[in-house]
């Protein structure tokens, strides 16, 4: 009986953790689904703090989640060459990302709710990265060649897939955002890490995430 009570408390706490705050709801609804959300910048101290915060899971079936997803897409489409965006970059510390799928025909933009990387290959590639939230910053970074990903859609349907190549790089970059990890901070950490060095992906330096 005690175990059941503890499980019930855990379940209720998990559901409550997914609920959006009134502040988040207000921000999400300051415009319709065709209105972009401003992209936060590290040059603003308040916005930088939001970008460094860890994100919580979100209820995929909450109507506000669908609005957030739609407005994030508009934000990404408004950029010059952006191929991915995470909810913290529009001021919402929740686990939602958009990624351009270069590994699919037509290279579509797709959203992912509560994404988790469950496995990364040891083999890594070195390639250029920038960030929509960090003006004038670029660097060379190591990322796993292959990842396994789990996520849900707006109906709460669960998915799992293997992603390779440059698209896997975008996923790793955007999911880093959900943990408050920025590439400007990551650069310092990489100086002390050892990697399997292989050829970098041939991708235009103009591409930003």
């Amino acid at each position: 009986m005690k175990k059941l009570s503890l499980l019930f408390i855990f379940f209720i706490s998990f559901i409550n953790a997914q609920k959006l705050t009134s502040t988040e709801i207000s921000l999400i609804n300051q415009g319709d689904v065709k209105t972009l959300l401003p992209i936060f910048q590290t040059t603003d101290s308040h916005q930088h703090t939001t970008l460094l915060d860890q994100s919580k899971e979100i209820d995929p079936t909450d109507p506000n989640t669908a609005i957030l997803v739609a407005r994030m897409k508009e934000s990404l489409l408004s950029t010059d060459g952006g191929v991915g965006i995470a909810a913290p970059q529009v001021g919402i510390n929740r686990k939602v990302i958009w990624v351009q799928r270069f590994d699919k025909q037509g290279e579509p933009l797709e959203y992912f709710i509560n994404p988790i990387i469950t496995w990364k290959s040891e083999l890594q590639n070195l390639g250029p990265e920038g960030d929509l939230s960090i003006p004038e910053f670029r660097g060379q970074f190591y990322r796993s060649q292959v990842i396994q990903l789990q996520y849900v859609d707006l109906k709460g349907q669960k998915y799992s897939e293997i992603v390779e190549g440059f698209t896997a790089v975008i996923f790793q970059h955007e999911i880093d955002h959900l943990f408050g990890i920025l590439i400007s901070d990551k650069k310092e950490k990489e100086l002390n890490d050892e990697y399997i060095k292989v050829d970098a992906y041939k991708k235009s330096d103009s591409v930003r995430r």
Side-chain angles (χ1 to χ4, degrees), residues 146-199:
V146 186
I147 62 171
Q148 183 168 13
L149 182 75
Q150 290 183 359
Y151 59 93
V152 299
D153 62 17
L154 286 168
K155 295 180 180 179
Q157 178 67 43
K158 295 181 180 179
Y159 299 89
S160 178
E161 63 177 297
I162 300 291
V163 184
E164 302 181 32
F166 184 62
T167 303
V169 172
I170 304 171
F171 273 110
Q172 290 169 82
H173 179 108
E174 300 308 334
I175 290 175
D176 270 358
H177 270 297
L178 304 182
F179 291 91
I181 300 170
L182 301 176
I183 55 172
S184 51
D185 302 320
K186 181 179 173 64
K187 176 56 67 177
E188 184 65 27
K189 177 181 181 297
E190 284 194 346
L191 295 176
N192 301 316
D193 287 344
E194 294 181 0
Y195 296 91
I196 302 170
K197 294 186 178 181
V198 294
D199 290 339

Side-chain angles (χ1 to χ4, degrees), residues 72 84-90 92 94 96-98 174-175 177-178:
M72 283 177 62
I85 195 168
Q89 292 181 280
V90 296
I92 304 291
R94 294 288 176 161
V96 182
I97 63 173
W98 276 91
E174 300 308 334
I175 290 175
H177 270 297
L178 304 182

Side-chain angles (χ1 to χ4, degrees), residues 3-28:
K3 282 187 177 180
L4 286 175
S5 298
L6 289 173
L7 285 172
F8 179 74
I9 291 171
F10 175 80
F11 177 75
I12 294 299
S13 298
F14 177 73
I15 294 299
N16 287 335
Q18 287 188 317
K19 287 184 177 179
L20 292 163
T21 66
S22 58
T23 300
E24 290 172 327
I25 292 172
S26 176
L27 179 57
I28 290 169

Side-chain angles (χ1 to χ4, degrees), residues 57-74:
E57 290 199 339
I58 194 169
D59 179 359
T61 62
D62 185 329
N64 293 294
T65 301
I67 298 171
L68 173 61
V69 167
R71 296 191 68 190
M72 283 177 62
K73 183 179 183 181
E74 295 299 321

